[in-house]
Amino acid sequence: MQLDLGMLADNAHIDPTGKLYILGEFRYINAVALPALHGRMVLVFRLVADAIEVRDKGTADLELEVVDQDGHPIGMPRSPKMPIRFAPVGPADRGKWWAQVTIELQGLLLTKVGDYRIFIIANGQNVGSVPFHVQLQQPPK
């Protein structure tokens, strides 16, 4: 299983046909002061797995962990397990199944400037991460 797509956005939606809509992708958060409470963001990602990995259950247990540049978790150390559903990719990539996921994150407390990562853990294995950077917003001149 591997991370095929991962980003933060202002909003995202997956329609009933599986089409993914993403609005306002970003990697930088400009804070006026620290600590900063980021109101809302959406973590968007797609996992791809060999059919044999997920075919029997069609699901995987997902956990998230947000860490700062020193590797310290922010907020809770790791999210509770959440089930995600996989489906066959289709004739374009036989033998592969995917899960497209959007998760709304609210009230993320950012205490320092620097690099952060959201680790995506499926069935206990780290399958990838989505990076972002917090910087102080420069006052207007």
Side-chain angles (χ1 to χ4, degrees):
M1 191 175 309
Q2 65 184 19
L3 183 66
D4 181 54
L5 168 78
M7 68 183 67
L8 292 173
D10 293 323
N11 205 351
H13 170 74
I14 302 167
D15 77 9
T17 68
K19 189 178 285 188
L20 176 60
Y21 296 89
I22 301 167
L23 179 66
E25 181 268 340
F26 64 90
R27 295 180 190 180
Y28 296 92
I29 296 174
N30 293 309
V32 175
L34 294 173
L37 191 63
H38 194 280
R40 179 184 183 277
M41 66 177 86
V42 178
L43 174 64
V44 181
F45 63 92
R46 180 172 46 235
L47 298 178
V48 176
D50 290 327
I52 194 126
E53 285 183 83
V54 294
R55 183 178 42 220
D56 293 337
K57 286 179 30 180
T59 63
D61 289 328
L62 173 73
E63 298 170 275
L64 302 175
E65 187 170 37
V66 184
V67 300
D68 64 21
Q69 63 191 6
D70 300 321
H72 299 120
I74 64 171
M76 61 183 134
R78 191 179 276 192
S79 73
K81 290 182 181 178
M82 303 168 269
I84 55 171
R85 178 154 304 284
F86 281 79
V89 173
D93 204 355
R94 292 188 192 279
K96 298 289 184 182
W97 285 39
W98 70 5
Q100 295 190 115
V101 181
T102 62
I103 298 176
E104 186 174 317
L105 304 172
Q106 291 187 345
L108 202 56
L109 184 63
L110 306 166
T111 59
K112 54 183 152 181
V113 169
D115 296 322
Y116 289 77
R117 285 197 173 274
I118 303 173
F119 285 100
I120 299 165
I121 301 143
N123 293 336
Q125 300 291 319
N126 178 8
V127 294
S129 65
V130 175
F132 66 97
H133 184 84
V134 174
Q135 58 195 17
L136 286 175
Q137 183 175 342
Q138 298 299 317
K141 294 181 179 185

